[in-house]
Amino acid sequence: MKIAIASDHGGFALKQQIMEYLTSLGYEYKDFGCYTADSMDYPDIAFPTAQAVASGEFERGILICGTGIGVSICANKVKGIRCALCSDVVSAELTRQHNDSNMLAMGGRIIGVEVAKAIVKTWLGTEFTGGRHQRRIDKISACEG
Ligand code: RB5
């Protein structure tokens, strides 16, 4: 599975740790920035990352900003993206099972690294349940036009 990952300055430190963790789990990823802890605008990394997932170049995407909110708002404006902002493992599991989320957003100023690692491992390892949940996703897709 190819993963696109990005953060702004508010998520930079957590992203560095999550990239190391992805490597330890054997996942392949591409870092879409930012590349320093200098202040920058989260839409500048969130949109290109979401577009890379929407195009099919990457199967999943992970976005991190200070709260996770700004990047999730951006990602969910890209057609085909279902980005879930998670601060706990149960939400990470359920958003894969029920929403077939293809992007995960987290807040680097909200959760600690161990919680973030557990969220990432669960989110990457959980399958979509399908069935009645597919019908609901089809209704979201229909709204996108
Ligand atoms: C940057 O200061 C901060 O606004 C950003 O990381 C994020 O939390 C926005 O939603």
Side-chain angles (χ1 to χ4, degrees):
M1 181 193 298
K2 282 176 72 184
I3 300 163
I5 187 167
S7 76
D8 74 353
H9 56 287
F12 181 74
L14 181 59
K15 184 184 68 175
Q16 302 307 113
Q17 291 173 296
I18 292 301
M19 289 192 299
E20 269 183 34
Y21 186 57
L22 289 174
T23 299
S24 78
L25 293 177
Y27 287 106
E28 194 186 331
Y29 65 83
K30 178 178 173 181
D31 181 6
F32 279 72
C34 60
Y35 304 112
T36 74
D38 294 344
S39 181
M40 56 88 67
D41 300 334
Y42 58 81
D44 294 343
I45 52 89
F47 284 119
T49 312
Q51 281 153 359
V53 174
S55 74
E57 187 184 354
F58 293 85
E59 198 175 325
R60 303 274 193 92
I62 298 174
L63 293 170
I64 309 173
C65 65
T67 58
I69 296 171
V71 288
S72 63
I73 290 172
C74 292
N76 279 314
K77 291 193 179 298
V78 175
K79 186 175 177 182
I81 294 300
R82 293 177 300 280
C83 181
L85 170 56
C86 294
S87 298
D88 66 273
V89 170
V90 175
S91 297
E93 183 176 21
L94 288 174
T95 188
R96 283 291 310 134
Q97 290 175 343
H98 292 195
N99 314 122
D100 197 18
S101 52
N102 49 13
M103 295 195 78
L104 168 69
M106 296 185 290
R109 295 173 180 159
I110 304 297
I111 56 173
V113 64
E114 295 305 326
V115 171
K117 285 179 183 175
I119 287 170
V120 165
K121 187 174 185 182
T122 298
W123 185 75
L124 290 172
T126 304
E127 294 300 318
F128 177 47
T129 306
R132 67 187 186 282
H133 300 295
Q134 183 60 57
R135 184 177 71 240
R136 293 159 188 170
I137 286 169
D138 291 344
K139 291 184 179 183
I140 296 172
S141 301
C143 181
E144 289 179 317

